[in-house]
Amino acid sequence: MTSITCTRCGSVPAATTEALAPSTVAVIVAASAYVVARNYLVTQRESASLTRALLDARAVAADLSAGREPGEALGAVPSIGESQAMARVAGVWYGGGVTVSPAELPSGLLSEAAASGAAQQRFAAAGAPYFGVAVSTAGGLYLELFPLETLDRSLRIGGWFLAAVSLAALAAGVIVGRWMA
């Protein structure tokens, strides 16, 4: 059996190095697949949240223009999942089932919405990740927050699982290489 001589560690069987290369490539491919999948899932979640918030903002703005009270207008927004709808009308915040207080909202999100008409931002409040969409309306500001804790947890578990499987494949490649030597 041929071997490769290393100046530090001595002789390494060629089969080990030949098995290590494909295993290393497998780890790189797995990491790349995780990054692509993570970006895709986060983008899809943010896109769906943005669409929903814009539609809900339009409905709340129409209700406010028709003379409904802000609390009633927000109550008409269908509750899907754990999102939180809020509105600021004449400087007063309205919302039901508030898990994030207006004081915890990022000032950049609110100022960008006021300046450009709409804004979106990922942020953390009370240690939990959220995706916020703020839309300026004729009556004030509509804000919808979408919790990202479940998505982040799923991505974290998937990442650890993929890392473990990749390391197991790498170890198996080294073992097979040594066995073939």
Side-chain angles (χ1 to χ4, degrees), residues 49 53 56 61 96 131 151 155 160:
S49 298
D56 290 345
F131 179 68
L151 176 64
L155 291 171
W160 282 111

Side-chain angles (χ1 to χ4, degrees), residues 31-47:
S32 300
Y34 172 77
V35 169
V36 168
R38 183 185 193 292
N39 287 341
Y40 174 77
L41 291 172
V42 169
T43 300
Q44 288 300 310
R45 183 64 165 279
E46 289 178 354
S47 177

